[in-house]
Amino acid sequence: MRLRRWIMGVVAAGALLVGGFLVLAWRFPIPPVDPPAASGFEPALVRRGQELALLGDCRTCHTAKGGQELAGGLPMPTPFGTIYSTNITPDPATGIGSWSEAAFARAMREGVNRLGQHLYPAFPYDHFTRIGDEDLRALYAYVMTRDPVQALVPPNRLVFPVNIRLVLAGWKLLFLDQGRFVPDPSRDAAWNRGKYLVDGLGHCGGCHTPRNLMGAEEAGRALAGGQAEGWDAPALGPASPAPVPWDEAALRQYLRQGFHPLHGSARGPMAPVVRNLADAPDSDVAAIAHYLASLGSGAGGAGPGPAGPHRPVPAGDAAAPGRRAASAGLQAATPAAPDQPGAALYAAACASCHESGRELPLGAVDLGLSTALAGPGPANLVNLVLEGVPAESGQAAPVMPGFAGMLSDAQLVDLAGYLRGAFTDKPAWTGIEAVVRTARAAARPAMPTAHPAGAPR
C-alpha cells in the first residue's frame, strides 16, 4: 500500500509539473487583421522605421541570397541545426500582412509569433525587448509599407528536442530578461543613445558575446567575444585583441566605411552590418562609437606587436603602416622567398600588397595591425584568405583576392602558422587544420529544399 501511494504521489507531482509548464508555455493567438494600407502610416514614421531597420540589420537576416528584400529564407547555422529567417513583408499568406501592431510588438519583445508559437532566439528578441514603444511603431510602419512578397521559406532543420518549440518556453524562463532600456542620468545623451542601440536594436551582443551550452549569451560577459557563422566576433572594449587600441574616431570610421587603416576591413557577418550602417543616420553611428569607446580600448597599445621585423608604428604617427603616402615603387617590395613553406607563400602571394605601405583603401592593411592575426583563433584569418575581400560596387574600399582555388589545405595551415608567428607575439594557434576543413565546407553550403505549402515554420 505504501509503495502504491508513493508511485501515485510521484505521478501526481509529475502531472502538476507538466501541467504547470504547459500553462507557462502556452501563448494565445492574436486574431488576424486585414493588411493595413500603406497610406495609413505617416511618411515621417515610415522614414524613421527605415532608419531603425538599418540599425537593426533587418534586411540582412531576412533576405536570402538572390531573394527579394525582407522575404526571408536566409539559412542561419547554429550549434543545434539550421534556422531559416521568416518572410516579414506584408504578404498575408506567407509574410506578416495579417499581423496587428500588438502581434508585431509581442514577437519583437517576447519572441512569440501571431499564432502563439515561440520563436527561436536566432531572432534576437532578448535584445529587442529593450526597444521603446515609439521605435516599435516606426518599425511596424516601415515593414507594413513594403511591397508584399509571396515567398515560402525552407523548414528549420534542428536536432531533437530543440525542434519542439515548446522547449523554448523553458529557455526563456532561464535566460530571457524582459525590460525596456533605462537611461543612465550620469551619462550624456550620446552615450545613452549608443548604449540603447548597442544593447537593443543593434543587438551587438548577439555575435560579440560568448554563449553557453544552451545557446544563451553568458551573463556578466557582454561583448567579451563570440562566434557567428564560422567567424570569431572579437571582444569589444577592454578585452579587445586589436594590436592598436580602438578610439572613438576609429570606431566611427570602421562602422561607417567598413575599414580603418589601423584595424583592417569588416568581413564575414560584420560586412553587411557596416553596409547597413553606411546608410543609417550618422548621429546614431556616432553614438554607437561613442558608447563602445567608453567601454575601454584593450591593451593593444601597451606593447604587443609582431615578434619579427613587422612591428606596427603607434597610432597617430604619420609614418605608421597604412598612413604612408601612396607610392607605386613601394608596391613592388616583395622579399626574397625563404625556406620555410609559410614564409615562402607569404612572400609570393601576400607581401607585395601587405608591405606596400600604401594607405587604405588603395593598399592593404599591415598584418602587424590585424585583429584577425591577434585573435584567439585562426577562423577569421582562414576565412579571409579563402574568400578574400571582394570589391564593393561604387565604394572605395580595400580589395583582396580569395585564395580558395589556389592554396591547398596544407598550404593554408603553413601560411596561417607563419603569419601568426611573424606578425604577433601571441602563442601559436592549435587546431588550424580543423578550422581550414570547416571553413572549406562552409564555403560550399547545400542548397535548401523548398518549404511545402502550409507547413509550419
Side-chain angles (χ1 to χ4, degrees):
M1 181 62 73
R2 178 178 293 179
L3 178 61
R4 182 179 177 185
R5 288 179 177 174
W6 184 84
I7 293 175
M8 291 179 64
V10 170
V11 171
L16 283 173
L17 284 174
V18 172
F21 177 76
L22 291 176
V23 169
L24 172 72
W26 184 83
R27 304 304 300 272
F28 61 89
I30 295 178
V33 298
D34 292 332
S39 58
F41 295 98
E42 290 290 336
L45 188 67
V46 174
R47 284 196 298 274
R48 184 58 188 144
Q50 182 178 24
E51 295 171 350
L52 293 167
L54 289 170
L55 293 163
D57 218 23
C58 302
R59 68 182 180 186
T60 299
C61 287
H62 288 279
T63 305
K65 186 177 182 180
Q68 297 192 61
E69 190 165 298
L70 303 180
L74 181 75
M76 290 181 281
T78 77
F80 311 101
T82 301
I83 293 173
Y84 292 88
S85 62
T86 53
N87 179 351
I88 59 170
T89 71
D91 178 67
T94 62
I96 62 171
S98 62
W99 289 31
S100 64
E101 188 174 326
F104 179 79
R106 185 173 73 169
M108 293 285 288
R109 287 173 168 163
E110 302 177 35
V112 178
N113 69 13
R114 187 189 68 76
L115 298 174
Q117 296 171 318
H118 292 280
L119 300 174
Y120 290 98
F123 176 60
Y125 47 82
D126 49 342
H127 290 270
F128 293 163
T129 186
R130 295 170 177 80
I131 299 175
D133 293 342
E134 286 303 307
D135 283 349
L136 272 187
R137 287 189 61 239
L139 285 165
Y140 180 73
Y142 172 68
V143 296
M144 286 301 177
T145 52
R146 301 306 92 198
D147 291 334
V149 178
Q150 188 170 38
L152 295 167
V153 303
N156 297 327
R157 295 180 298 183
L158 298 167
V159 299
F160 178 83
V162 180
N163 59 347
I164 300 174
R165 289 183 184 268
L166 277 178
V167 171
L168 297 171
W171 187 93
K172 291 177 182 178
L173 185 64
L174 293 172
F175 303 116
L176 179 59
D177 180 20
Q178 294 191 50
R180 308 295 171 265
F181 173 74
V182 179
D184 183 344
S186 69
R187 298 285 192 165
D188 59 36
W191 187 94
N192 277 297
R193 179 65 180 167
K195 181 172 176 57
Y196 170 75
L197 293 173
V198 167
D199 291 351
L201 188 59
H203 60 284
C204 301
C207 293
H208 290 275
T209 296
R211 293 181 180 270
N212 61 26
L213 293 176
M214 298 184 72
E217 294 176 23
E218 292 186 17
R221 300 193 63 197
L223 306 179
Q227 284 82 40
E229 301 173 26
W231 293 71
D232 291 329
L236 306 177
S240 168
V244 174
W246 287 93
D247 59 25
E248 186 172 336
L251 284 163
R252 188 172 179 177
Q253 177 181 336
Y254 183 85
L255 293 173
R256 198 73 172 164
Q257 300 181 11
F259 68 91
H260 187 273
L262 299 180
H263 297 281
S265 301
R267 295 304 307 152
M270 191 62 194
V273 172
V274 297
R275 279 198 289 271
N276 289 328
L277 293 180
D279 296 328
D282 185 59
S283 59
D284 282 336
V285 177
I288 292 172
H290 182 64
Y291 169 69
L292 290 177
S294 76
L295 300 179
S297 56
H310 309 288
R311 183 176 300 279
V313 181
D317 190 324
R323 292 190 184 278
R324 291 188 285 259
S327 166
L330 286 173
Q331 190 174 16
T334 303
D339 294 335
Q340 188 178 350
L345 288 167
Y346 169 75
C350 316
S352 60
C353 289
H354 284 283
E355 295 197 16
S356 71
R358 295 202 302 169
E359 186 175 359
L360 267 66
L362 300 177
V365 68
D366 187 292
L367 293 180
L369 306 173
S370 170
T371 302
L373 275 176
N380 289 1
L381 174 68
V382 170
N383 285 324
L384 277 167
V385 174
L386 285 173
E387 299 178 12
V389 181
E392 295 282 348
S393 177
Q395 181 180 356
V399 175
M400 177 183 134
F403 292 88
M406 290 173 255
L407 297 180
S408 67
D409 287 7
Q411 288 173 318
L412 275 170
V413 172
D414 287 339
L415 180 61
Y418 166 74
L419 295 178
R420 175 74 165 182
F423 290 92
T424 81
D425 58 1
K426 310 292 184 186
W429 284 320
T430 59
I432 303 177
E433 295 86 351
V435 171
V436 169
R437 286 195 299 272
T438 301
R440 288 270 195 200
R444 295 189 293 272
M447 292 297 292
T449 57
H451 185 273
R457 294 192 292 273

